[in-house]
């Protein structure tokens, strides 16, 4: 009588192979998990290093203004506890934007070191000039007696005003006005200067000022002028242009840095004068 040995089936061999592959994949997850842990720890350390450096040097910078802020009185409906509707006086603010705004920023990049990390930061020398037209409340149906001309001010919002290194006086026509801390909105950091009614009567008033700002990651300018021209030069060789408008002309990027120019008109933005 002949004895025969039973061979494993093809299905059994496939099942064992799948089990072996699955076991190997599970083993490989161990070093992958450890690697992800190291990467996450390094990212956390780098983010902490960036936060420590930029909080002392300067955060992201956004420049809005200058704008003219004029408080005025208006009557507002108010419902009392007994349901009666009365009109009470409240103070509101009219914001007038410049007719022309020309901003030039010369941005010099630097590197700060924290541990094993290199953190890029910048210092920007900013020159701002332009003009305002005569202020007109006629479209708002506001009486001149309800306008507080003596409390008008020029306001400039700076997102990280603590990184403002220096600022020249605001040249308003033929006068020089010292800038003071704070913008027209308590929650918006910046600087301002007061105006008298005699400074607001001209059909056209030119202004200019300079400032030096520290910052990091990006520098942006709001196109608040009816025509806004913004020029930036920098020694940073790898710029990334973002925002609502990209530079349309005079863009040059080399190993030595870049230069770019933006031009935005009143009709191209989404808010009125």
């Amino acid at each position: 009588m002949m004895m025969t040995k039973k061979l494993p089936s093809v299905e059994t061999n496939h099942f064992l192979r799948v089990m072996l592959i699955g076991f190997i994949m599970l083993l490989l997850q161990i070093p992958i998990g450890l690697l992800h842990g190291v990467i996450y720890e390094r990212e956390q350390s780098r983010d902490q290093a960036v936060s420590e450096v930029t909080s002392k040097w300067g955060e992201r910078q956004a420049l809005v203004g200058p704008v003219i802020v004029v408080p005025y009185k208006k009557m507002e409906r108010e419902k009392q506890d007994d349901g009666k509707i009365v009109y009470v006086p409240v103070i509101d603010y009219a914001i007038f934007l410049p007719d022309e705004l020309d901003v030039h920023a010369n941005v010099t990049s630097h590197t700060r070191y924290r541990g094993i990390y290199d953190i890029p930061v910048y210092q920007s020398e900013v020159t701002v000039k332009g003009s305002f037209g005569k202020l007109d409340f006629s479209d708002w149906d506001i009486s001149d007696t309800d306008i507080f001309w003596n409390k008008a001010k020029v306001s400039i919002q700076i997102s990280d005003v603590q990184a403002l290194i220096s600022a020249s006086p605001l040249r308003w026509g033929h006068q020089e006005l010292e800038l003071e801390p704070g913008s027209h909105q308590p929650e918006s950091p910046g600087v301002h200067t007061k105006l008298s009614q005699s400074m607001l009567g001209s059909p056209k008033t030119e202004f200019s000022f300079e400032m030096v700002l520290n910052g990091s990651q990006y520098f942006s300018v709001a196109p608040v002028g009816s025509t806004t021209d913004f020029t930036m030069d920098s020694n940073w060789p790898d710029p990334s242009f973002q925002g609502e408008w990209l530079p349309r002309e005079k863009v040059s990027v080399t190993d030595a840095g870049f230069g770019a120019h933006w031009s935005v008109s009143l009709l191209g933005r989404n808010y009125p004068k």
Side-chain angles (χ1 to χ4, degrees), residues 2 26 37 68 93 96 103 106 112 125 176 189 202 238 255 257:
M2 183 179 293
L26 288 175
I68 296 178
Y93 295 89
F96 294 92
V103 181
N106 186 7
R112 292 295 178 266
E125 298 177 358
E176 288 194 350
S202 301
D238 302 303
D255 294 338

Side-chain angles (χ1 to χ4, degrees), residues 135 164 267:
L135 308 190
L164 175 61
L267 298 179

Side-chain angles (χ1 to χ4, degrees), residues 191-245:
V191 294
H192 76 279
T193 188
K194 298 176 182 177
L195 299 175
S196 64
Q197 186 172 357
S198 62
M199 299 178 185
L200 300 172
S202 301
K204 179 179 181 180
T205 303
E206 296 183 346
F207 66 85
S208 64
F209 63 91
E210 296 86 34
M211 60 176 53
V212 178
L213 289 166
N214 283 348
S216 58
Q217 300 185 55
Y218 75 69
F219 180 83
S220 62
V221 172
V224 295
S226 295
T227 59
T228 301
D229 286 289
F230 175 38
T231 304
M232 178 182 286
D233 299 305
S234 176
N235 64 340
W236 183 253
D238 302 303
S240 175
F241 302 117
Q242 301 180 13
E244 296 294 332
W245 296 270

Side-chain angles (χ1 to χ4, degrees), residues 85-116:
I85 301 297
V86 297
Y87 286 86
V88 296
V90 296
I91 301 300
D92 205 344
Y93 295 89
I95 310 296
F96 294 92
L97 308 183
D99 289 344
E100 300 170 317
L101 180 64
D102 189 340
V103 181
H104 179 266
N106 186 7
V107 181
T108 304
S109 64
H110 303 274
T111 301
R112 292 295 178 266
Y113 303 94
R114 180 59 58 95
I116 62 174

Side-chain angles (χ1 to χ4, degrees), residues 7 34 61-62 68 92 128 193 203 220 240 243 254 264:
L7 299 175
L34 294 175
Q61 289 290 11
I68 296 178
D92 205 344
V128 181
T193 188
S220 62
S240 175
T254 66
V264 182

